[in-house]
Amino acid sequence: GAGRVTLVGGGPGEVDLLTLRGRRRLAEADVVVVDRLAPTAVLDELDPDVQVVDVGKTPDHHPVPQEEINRILVEHARAGRRVVRLKGGDSYVLGRGGEEVLACRAAGVEVEVVPGVTSAFAVPAAAGIPVTHRGLSRSVTVVSGHEDVDAATLARLDGTVVFLMGVTMLPRLCADLVAAGKPASTPVAIVENGWRPDQRTTRGTLGDIAATAARRGVRSPAVIVVGAVAGLAGLAGVADEEG
Amino acid sequence: GAGRVTLVGGGPGEVDLLTLRGRRRLAEADVVVVDRLAPTAVLDELDPDVQVVDVGKTPDHHPVPQEEINRILVEHARAGRRVVRLKGGDSYVLGRGGEEVLACRAAGVEVEVVPGVTSAFAVPAAAGIPVTHRGLSRSVTVVSGHEDVDAATLARLDGTVVFLMGVTMLPRLCADLVAAGKPASTPVAIVENGWRPDQRTTRGTLGDIAATAARRGVRSPAVIVVGAVAGLAGLAGVADEEG
């Protein structure tokens, strides 16, 4: 049969936050290529003959290069298999899905994208934080926190800023934003393990959150929310443990 | 029984882009309060005794005030009903979900939020546009296009900017961004009716898209994508009709 690749955005972690279409593609799959942040509990529901390829980490704990992931997707599809590439969140939001689509297209492999619930918005929601809210924020910017960020421009935004993958850079991120003119009193919330049983929220301000996070041992995966919405009270989320 | 309200993000329009949890809450609902942009085909699957309240438009074609929507949610929940508030996209992304949650909390009504696939990211994906892409964009900003925008700051962002609800303001949005220093050659794509059978994509640049959109009669609902990713070739989407 004709192999194909489907990129499935797996959502923020709980299996039932997958889309119906994503779940159906998984049920039809011959091969599932998964990431570390994918909702891996869904793998337990696969038929035993489905091949699961974990590209979240190599045996020596290094990330699998993107080119190698592309090669795996193409190779299985060319062998006639229905391949699902399952990631956390949405494949096109800092997920390198575009590269995988282009690699498939270049190899003549049919490819489909099933969007997912992005962790950038759903993880704050799990802690009771709406990324936009009347009177507080009319925009939201999502940026990777583990690369150099344009703090000068981010500091000028009056809306919410969400950092993915930024925990290790937190002290510098906060310092750079304050140096660029963002008030040190700007609320910040860090949500670890969103939608998972060990979800934990740490709150503070740009001025004090780095110290608080260090004291509490905040670790990735975590989503960092900067802006007035992070200080909103009364919308506590699904598992709002303030620790 | 104890009434409650669940805000369900309905995703960009197709029924199977709902989450499993959202679909389950709908199946359990006594009352469904829907918006114009919700995936209304899902209503056909409800039991006939489920009450559907359409707050997308009043009989005289004005939007139902948010306070009235809040009142409807609270009233039904207090009467012991399981209420689903179904919207397009995600309730917390320019969807006023936070206001509804606060209204329920203030009234002592139990409320839950089920995140959805945001149209801000999924509608570009339907046209083959990843909102982030290596070498082109490392951030994405979502902003309402029908309010005053901070064009000076948006023009400084080197990532993608997505405008929701901006079609009527398009000429001014583009002019303001160019006046603020964003190159007139910046790619722009407008995706109408994303994930629906009549999806249509219009492409151009900040300098020419307003004229092109007027000529083609582009109308809401539409998502406007500004940035290099809007010019990316080779990722054509699910129903990429360039008209």
Side-chain angles (χ1 to χ4, degrees):
Chain A
R4 56 180 164 81
V5 172
T6 304
L7 276 59
V8 172
E14 286 199 294
V15 169
D16 70 351
L17 294 178
L18 264 167
T19 63
L20 298 159
R21 186 178 301 182
R23 166 66 75 84
R24 196 169 66 238
R25 293 293 183 273
L26 279 162
E28 297 162 349
D30 302 306
V31 180
V32 179
V33 180
V34 295
D35 256 20
R36 195 171 53 91
L37 293 177
T40 45
V42 80
L43 303 176
D44 299 338
E45 302 169 11
L46 299 175
D47 284 344
D49 60 339
V50 175
Q51 184 181 349
V52 175
V53 181
D54 184 352
V55 294
K57 228 167 240 180
T58 60
D60 57 348
H61 304 291
H62 287 97
V64 176
Q66 186 61 48
E67 295 66 29
E68 173 66 7
I69 297 172
N70 297 350
R71 195 193 60 71
I72 291 168
L73 297 176
V74 166
E75 179 181 285
H76 283 291
R78 278 188 166 158
R81 303 189 186 105
R82 288 160 298 185
V83 183
V84 164
R85 171 73 172 116
L86 180 67
K87 308 195 201 205
D90 183 274
S91 307
Y92 275 174
V93 180
L94 301 172
R96 306 191 71 170
E99 293 167 67
E100 295 172 357
V101 169
L102 288 176
C104 289
R105 288 275 160 84
V109 167
E110 189 189 337
V111 58
E112 172 195 18
V113 177
V114 178
V117 172
T118 177
S119 303
F121 300 157
V123 169
I129 300 170
V131 289
T132 69
H133 190 73
R134 196 178 191 203
L136 293 182
S137 169
R138 301 185 306 174
S139 73
V140 55
T141 299
V142 181
V143 57
S144 166
H146 76 173
E147 299 177 88
D148 281 336
V149 303
D150 176 6
T153 302
L154 294 178
R156 286 177 56 151
L157 288 165
D158 64 358
T160 307
V161 180
V162 176
F163 294 97
L164 299 181
M165 304 169 285
V167 167
T168 56
M169 302 290 278
L170 185 68
R172 190 174 131 195
L173 279 177
C174 294
D176 286 354
L177 288 170
V178 171
K182 196 84 176 167
S185 59
T186 305
V188 181
I190 309 176
V191 187
E192 294 169 272
N193 301 306
W195 295 100
R196 296 175 197 256
D198 50 351
Q199 176 178 319
R200 182 174 69 156
T201 304
T202 299
R203 292 179 196 263
T205 65
L206 275 181
D208 64 27
I209 192 76
T212 306
R215 193 174 66 241
R216 285 163 60 93
V218 169
R219 292 199 295 187
S220 47
V223 172
I224 303 167
V225 186
V226 178
V229 293
L232 199 59
L235 288 97
V238 287
D240 206 38
E241 306 165 45
E242 297 297 323
Chain B
R4 56 180 163 80
V5 172
T6 305
L7 276 59
V8 172
E14 287 200 294
V15 170
D16 70 351
L17 294 177
L18 264 167
T19 63
L20 299 159
R21 186 178 302 183
R23 165 68 75 85
R24 196 168 67 240
R25 293 294 183 273
L26 279 163
E28 297 163 349
D30 301 305
V31 180
V32 180
V33 180
V34 294
D35 256 21
R36 196 170 52 91
L37 294 177
T40 45
V42 80
L43 303 176
D44 300 338
E45 301 168 11
L46 299 174
D47 284 342
D49 60 339
V50 174
Q51 184 181 349
V52 175
V53 180
D54 184 351
V55 294
K57 227 166 241 182
T58 59
D60 57 347
H61 304 289
H62 286 96
V64 176
Q66 186 62 49
E67 295 67 29
E68 173 66 7
I69 297 171
N70 297 349
R71 195 193 60 72
I72 291 168
L73 298 176
V74 165
E75 180 182 284
H76 284 292
R78 279 187 167 159
R81 303 190 185 104
R82 289 159 299 184
V83 183
V84 164
R85 172 72 172 115
L86 179 66
K87 308 197 202 206
D90 183 275
S91 307
Y92 276 174
V93 180
L94 301 173
R96 306 192 69 169
E99 293 167 66
E100 296 173 357
V101 169
L102 288 175
C104 289
R105 288 275 160 83
V109 167
E110 188 190 337
V111 58
E112 173 195 18
V113 177
V114 178
V117 172
T118 178
S119 303
F121 300 159
V123 169
I129 300 169
V131 290
T132 68
H133 190 75
R134 196 177 191 203
L136 295 183
S137 169
R138 302 187 304 173
S139 73
V140 55
T141 298
V142 181
V143 57
S144 167
H146 77 173
E147 299 178 89
D148 281 337
V149 302
D150 177 6
T153 302
L154 295 179
R156 286 178 56 152
L157 289 165
D158 64 358
T160 307
V161 180
V162 176
F163 293 97
L164 300 181
M165 304 169 284
V167 167
T168 56
M169 302 290 279
L170 184 68
R172 190 172 133 195
L173 279 176
C174 293
D176 286 355
L177 288 170
V178 171
K182 196 86 175 167
S185 59
T186 306
V188 180
I190 308 177
V191 187
E192 295 169 271
N193 300 306
W195 295 98
R196 296 174 196 256
D198 51 350
Q199 176 178 319
R200 181 174 71 156
T201 304
T202 298
R203 292 180 197 263
T205 65
L206 275 181
D208 64 28
I209 192 77
T212 305
R215 192 174 68 241
R216 285 163 59 93
V218 170
R219 293 198 296 186
S220 47
V223 172
I224 303 168
V225 186
V226 178
V229 293
L232 199 58
L235 289 99
V238 286
D240 207 36
E241 307 165 46
E242 298 295 325

